[in-house]
Amino acid sequence: MGQGQSTEQANPLASSEVRKSSDIATKNHPFRIYIGYDSHEDITFEVAKFSILKYASVPVEIIPLKRPELQARGVYTRSQDPKQSTEFTYCRFFVPYLNNYKGWAMFVDDDFLWTRDVAELLDMIDDKYALMCVKHDYKPSVTTKLAGRQQEAYPRKNWSSMVLWNCGHEANKPVELDLINREGGAFLHRFTWITDDELIGEIPFEWNFLVEWYTPFEKDKPLPAAIHYTEGGPWFPDYRDTDYATEWFEHMKEYEKTLPKQRLLCPFELFSTKGTAPLEGYPNSAERWEWDGC
């Protein structure tokens, strides 16, 4: 586990001029949140979406970024990258295009649990930045993650896992379809098209709290605002006891109560390298699933 950061960390944007969330997210123009979607773990998307909506005090529109749909539209034309760990690894970079290069929007991975009002995050937005993110100093302690896939280490790792995009900013003009479909992961995930680092704004780490890297907050402190299960979340049987697993399962059960009938477990909920059994009580609880690199 990486070294923890103080929960009293000063807001690095405190001295900046900010726009208020009520101006950015309105009834006529809800704030767009693009969430990465992987067909192997639908439940992670649903719980992330549910938790955002549960606490949001401003209008938001949640849009799943599904690679097959972008491919069918001719937007996503990349070939399969053997290093990509999710179906949406590169989809996040289409946000400015999908937002017509106008206004602010957010991309976030699906393996998040939100515990606070997203309006608090939008209040930090500053138009001088091309994008804003948590600037982790993250060095993975394991070589594999999730369904046994390789864990890649590179500069600015996990900066792109939650990004506030200033879609119309001059510095983001290069982020066109040709560039996104041509450039490699190192170029894109490090935001290399932005030549002035001063255009990358910083968000407090509690808004992209990396589980098993940051030290859990003390029991008498509020939860991190956005919990990111980056190395493996509790929907994986082998990660059921990871930090903040209890909170994730609480939100999952609350989400399940909204469904008209009992859901099926997702492929990743059936996958284990240690022989850990899936959750009981679901129609397909007795099934197993093997990762085949699909």
Side-chain angles (χ1 to χ4, degrees):
M1 180 179 295
Q3 294 182 347
Q5 296 192 22
S6 169
T7 60
E8 305 300 324
Q9 181 190 42
N11 183 350
L13 309 176
S15 61
S16 301
E17 181 180 354
V18 298
R19 294 175 61 191
K20 297 298 182 182
S21 56
S22 57
D23 296 328
I24 298 169
T26 67
K27 181 178 180 180
N28 290 330
H29 298 283
F31 180 73
R32 288 183 173 179
I33 300 174
Y34 296 86
I35 300 181
Y37 183 89
D38 192 309
S39 59
H40 303 96
E41 51 182 8
D42 174 77
I43 188 60
T44 65
F45 167 82
E46 295 295 351
V47 172
K49 175 182 177 180
F50 177 83
S51 63
I52 290 173
L53 294 175
K54 177 179 179 178
Y55 300 107
S57 64
V58 293
V60 297
E61 178 185 3
I62 295 180
I63 303 168
L65 282 180
K66 297 184 177 182
R67 186 177 66 186
E69 293 182 359
L70 294 175
Q71 288 172 320
R73 292 169 53 185
V75 172
Y76 189 111
T77 60
R78 300 182 66 99
S79 58
Q80 176 71 15
D81 182 346
K83 292 185 177 181
Q84 65 186 82
S85 59
T86 65
E87 293 175 357
F88 58 83
T89 294
Y90 294 104
C91 296
R92 69 196 71 210
F93 301 106
F94 293 103
V95 167
Y97 168 83
L98 296 172
N99 227 53
N100 296 314
Y101 297 95
K102 295 179 181 178
W104 284 86
M106 180 167 72
F107 167 82
V108 63
D109 282 356
D110 63 346
D111 53 353
F112 270 67
L113 177 71
W114 295 75
T115 70
R116 295 237 298 272
D117 188 352
V118 71
E120 297 178 41
L121 181 61
L122 302 189
D123 281 338
M124 302 179 196
I125 280 178
D126 190 324
D127 285 335
K128 73 182 180 183
Y129 297 118
L131 55 83
M132 301 176 70
C133 65
V134 177
K135 298 182 178 181
H136 306 285
D137 181 20
Y138 175 57
K139 301 175 181 65
S141 58
V142 296
T143 57
T144 60
K145 67 174 184 176
L146 307 178
R149 291 168 290 181
Q150 186 175 353
Q151 172 72 281
E152 296 288 335
Y154 50 83
R156 297 185 174 182
K157 186 171 179 64
N158 263 313
W159 285 28
S160 66
S161 59
M162 193 275 284
V163 178
L164 288 169
W165 285 91
N166 189 354
C167 299
H169 195 284
E170 183 75 15
N172 287 324
K173 282 188 175 180
V175 190
E176 297 181 335
L177 297 188
D178 179 66
L179 177 139
I180 302 166
N181 285 304
R182 180 186 70 246
E183 294 291 349
F187 178 94
L188 294 169
H189 287 286
R190 298 174 196 174
F191 312 134
T192 311
W193 68 87
I194 298 178
T195 57
D196 181 357
D197 286 352
E198 294 298 316
L199 295 179
I200 303 176
E202 185 168 7
I203 295 169
F205 80 107
E206 64 179 317
W207 289 94
N208 188 348
F209 186 94
L210 304 180
V211 169
E212 302 296 343
W213 176 254
Y214 293 126
T215 302
F217 288 180
E218 297 177 8
K219 296 296 184 181
D220 61 341
K221 301 291 185 181
L223 293 171
I227 300 168
H228 184 189
Y229 304 92
T230 182
E231 293 186 1
W235 51 93
F236 285 101
D238 293 344
Y239 292 82
R240 203 166 286 154
D241 295 324
T242 195
D243 293 340
Y244 297 111
T246 298
E247 289 77 8
W248 190 87
F249 279 116
E250 288 174 350
H251 284 78
M252 183 198 76
K253 292 297 184 183
E254 192 173 350
Y255 159 71
E256 288 181 334
K257 289 179 181 179
T258 69
L259 301 178
K261 63 179 182 180
Q262 192 171 34
R263 69 178 182 90
L264 293 174
L265 295 174
C266 301
F268 282 170
E269 293 179 279
L270 301 170
F271 179 82
S272 171
T273 62
K274 301 177 181 179
T276 312
L279 293 174
E280 297 181 352
Y282 295 83
N284 60 337
S285 290
E287 298 179 13
R288 296 295 183 272
W289 182 80
E290 296 296 329
W291 174 254
D292 59 6
C294 54

